[in-house]
Amino acid sequence: MVPFTLLDLSPIPQGADAGTALRNTIDLARHAEAWGYRRFWLAEHHNMPGIASAATAVVIGQVAAATSRIRVGAAGIMLPNHAPLVIAEQFGTLAALFPGRVDLGLGRAPGSDMRAARALRRNLDSDPDGFPRDVVELQSYFRPARPGQPLQAVPGAGQDVPLWILGSSLYGAQLAAVLGLPYAFASHFAPDALDEALRVYREQFRPSEQLDRPHVAAAINVFADETEAGARRLFTSLQQQFLNLRRGTPGQLPPPVDSMDRLWTAAERAGTERALSCSAVGTPAQVRAGLEAFLERTGADELVLTGQIFDHEARLRSFRLVAELGKDFLPRHGG
């Protein structure tokens, strides 16, 4: 059966604060575990007024402490923002506290604007080959320490922390293939290279100590409600948030509206709809059809589901309805 992973961005709704968003994240994780989701992932973003998961490892620790079985992790940590040793120590600590439950997805984007990137002490002049070297360095810290090894990650050395490569282009696909790592594609907001990236990853994959065959996770937005109109109304919060981001005015997650017609131009609508084209919106039956079509297209080994929903209870209801689909979801197609 195709497992479902839940990606939560800890959205901060308009009128709320980060504390509320983080408490909602923990509550959602408890429910996700009870509903049978395989993983609960969080993502690193900075200088984003509508996202509360900037200190990603800290939030993961809180989620892991509030649950008992579900895998928890990052999708992802933006490695150019950090020294690999720091990430090895952070996730080594998580793995020591929650053995067998921690995933570490890695991306090469800053997860921020350039001002935030500078504030994070990121080297903006680093060469384009830096990310692969950092990934390999990070892998080395998780291997068992050798006698006399001068530099170790403590905790970290010898910990079982599976690495993933995240991406939305051929670059990440090629790197994941060369290193023999699982690959997660960010099709929920950047779908243009989805088909080509998955083809390249599968064709170029080399087995590794971690993985003997390609493993793909593909992300899709889901908005489920008892009625199609209700689900489409929930979806407008994400559409507004994405529109504001593209206009250079990011903010908290807006409440849903009955219609987007007066909020965007024709060009903005086309751009937003293209970016969010990997979305399943509607009744449970409509969402199921959307997920089946997406699975048929990607041949994914697992699906990463996400949904920026303004009202927490509506968000719980949406992910519960989708989880019920997963109980008898179709086996993986192709791939």
Side-chain angles (χ1 to χ4, degrees):
M1 309 304 290
V2 179
F4 288 171
T5 288
L6 198 160
L7 170 62
D8 179 34
L9 299 183
S10 293
I12 305 175
Q14 282 185 9
D17 57 21
T20 299
L22 293 169
R23 286 187 289 273
N24 287 344
T25 283
I26 292 169
D27 185 56
L28 177 59
R30 292 191 182 110
H31 282 88
E33 180 173 78
W35 294 331
Y37 284 88
R38 172 174 286 188
R39 312 176 196 273
F40 191 93
W41 280 351
L42 293 131
E44 177 187 351
H45 293 277
H46 301 281
N47 200 30
M48 299 287 287
I51 297 175
S53 56
T56 315
V58 176
V59 184
I60 291 170
Q62 293 296 307
V63 167
T67 54
S68 59
R69 301 180 310 278
I70 193 170
R71 294 192 67 90
V72 295
I77 291 294
M78 301 297 106
L79 195 53
N81 295 336
H82 311 279
L85 178 60
V86 172
I87 300 305
E89 291 171 340
Q90 290 178 358
F91 280 79
T93 299
L94 290 169
L97 290 170
F98 309 103
R101 294 182 57 203
V102 177
D103 300 320
L104 174 51
L106 303 169
R108 68 175 182 133
S112 61
D113 57 39
M114 300 311 291
R115 288 167 296 186
R118 290 187 180 92
L120 288 162
R121 306 296 189 266
R122 180 171 178 262
N123 182 359
L124 300 182
D125 297 321
S126 58
D127 69 79
D129 295 327
F131 178 63
R133 285 200 302 267
D134 285 349
V135 174
V136 172
E137 180 182 344
L138 179 58
Q139 282 183 308
S140 73
Y141 293 129
F142 287 128
R143 296 193 180 101
R146 301 182 306 275
Q149 182 174 323
L151 180 62
Q152 301 179 29
V154 183
Q159 292 284 5
D160 179 20
V161 181
L163 300 187
W164 291 67
I165 297 296
L166 314 177
S168 58
S169 69
L170 301 187
Y171 184 98
Q174 292 168 330
L175 180 60
V178 168
L179 297 180
L181 296 177
Y183 181 52
F185 193 90
S187 33
H188 60 301
F189 73 92
D192 288 353
L194 171 63
D195 302 307
E196 181 68 6
L198 298 191
R199 182 191 65 78
V200 167
Y201 170 66
R202 289 175 174 131
E203 288 182 354
Q204 298 183 9
F205 181 84
R206 302 176 187 174
S208 67
E209 292 180 5
Q210 179 175 329
L211 196 63
D212 62 0
R213 58 182 296 180
H215 187 92
V216 167
I220 181 171
N221 300 294
V222 292
F223 293 81
D225 195 49
E226 287 79 6
T227 67
E228 179 180 0
R232 295 206 170 277
R233 190 173 191 277
L234 296 178
F235 188 33
T236 63
S237 290
L238 175 60
Q239 291 173 316
Q240 292 176 78
Q241 187 179 53
F242 198 86
L243 179 62
N244 290 337
L245 182 62
R246 288 207 159 184
R247 288 174 172 174
T249 57
Q252 295 180 331
L253 185 66
V257 294
D258 292 330
S259 173
M260 291 287 296
D261 290 345
R262 296 184 179 180
L263 300 180
W264 53 16
T265 66
E268 288 175 330
R269 175 176 180 171
T272 301
E273 290 183 344
R274 178 171 178 171
L276 303 180
S277 61
C278 290
S279 300
V281 183
T283 64
Q286 290 171 317
V287 169
R288 181 187 181 98
L291 294 179
E292 288 177 346
F294 186 66
L295 186 61
E296 185 70 35
R297 172 183 176 182
T298 62
D301 300 283
E302 55 189 282
L303 297 181
V304 179
L305 311 181
T306 188
Q308 296 284 81
I309 296 177
F310 179 80
D311 178 73
H312 182 59
E313 292 303 318
R315 185 164 66 139
L316 291 177
R317 182 172 65 251
S318 178
F319 283 122
R320 175 181 59 79
L321 292 171
V322 177
E324 291 172 355
L325 301 177
K327 293 176 181 177
D328 62 346
F329 205 67
L330 294 177
R332 183 171 63 87
H333 291 72

